[in-house]
């Protein structure tokens, strides 16, 4: 059974930073493209960023480009999302997912998510 466990969320002031982690089990992690997806209060799922399994290539949604950085540690079966210069519009539950995804395709979610709240 594939299991994804997100952590690292919390309350942060505008302009602050957080680093999210996603621990994966039940799959050959290094063979999977991975992504981060978020859901803001009252809104639908929104793709944030993806990372390839083959060459580690990364892609970002326009609204986080230049502020967020996705990375992975295949030895530890862990996906990361470094979030800098956060603003209130980034407030959401953040999920990791198997599959790179895109702004037009959100991969199926398997984790419970971690809450990120940006507020002064």
């Amino acid at each position: 059974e594939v299991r994804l466990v997100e952590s690292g969320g919390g309350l942060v002031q505008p302009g602050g930073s957080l680093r999210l982690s996603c621990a994966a089990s039940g799959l050959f992690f290094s063979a999977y493209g991975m992504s981060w997806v978020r859901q803001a209060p009252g809104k639908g799922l929104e793709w944030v960023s993806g990372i390839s399994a083959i060459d580690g290539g990364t892609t970002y949604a326009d609204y986080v480009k230049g502020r967020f950085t996705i990375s992975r540690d295949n030895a530890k079966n862990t996906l990361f999302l470094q979030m800098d210069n956060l603003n209130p519009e980034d407030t959401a539950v953040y999920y990791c997912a198997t599959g790179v995804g895109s702004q037009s395709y959100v991969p199926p979610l398997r984790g419970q998510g971690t809450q990120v709240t940006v507020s002064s």
Side-chain angles (χ1 to χ4, degrees), residues 20 36-48 63 88-96 106 109 111-117:
L20 306 184
W36 287 97
V37 175
R38 69 186 184 185
Q39 186 166 28
K43 296 187 177 180
L45 292 171
E46 183 176 69
W47 176 82
V48 173
Y63 30 85
E89 289 71 36
D90 295 316
T91 295
V93 178
Y94 284 72
Y95 303 88
C96 61
V106 175
L109 304 184
Q112 297 300 308
T114 185
Q115 175 71 49
V116 172
T117 302

Side-chain angles (χ1 to χ4, degrees), residues 4 20 24 26-27 30 35 48 53 60 70 74 83 85 93 101-102 105 110-111 117:
L4 303 176
L20 306 184
L27 76 167
S30 61
S35 56
V48 173
Y60 298 92
I70 190 172
N74 289 336
M83 306 187 295
N85 194 21
V93 178
S102 69
Y105 172 66
R110 303 178 188 269
T117 302

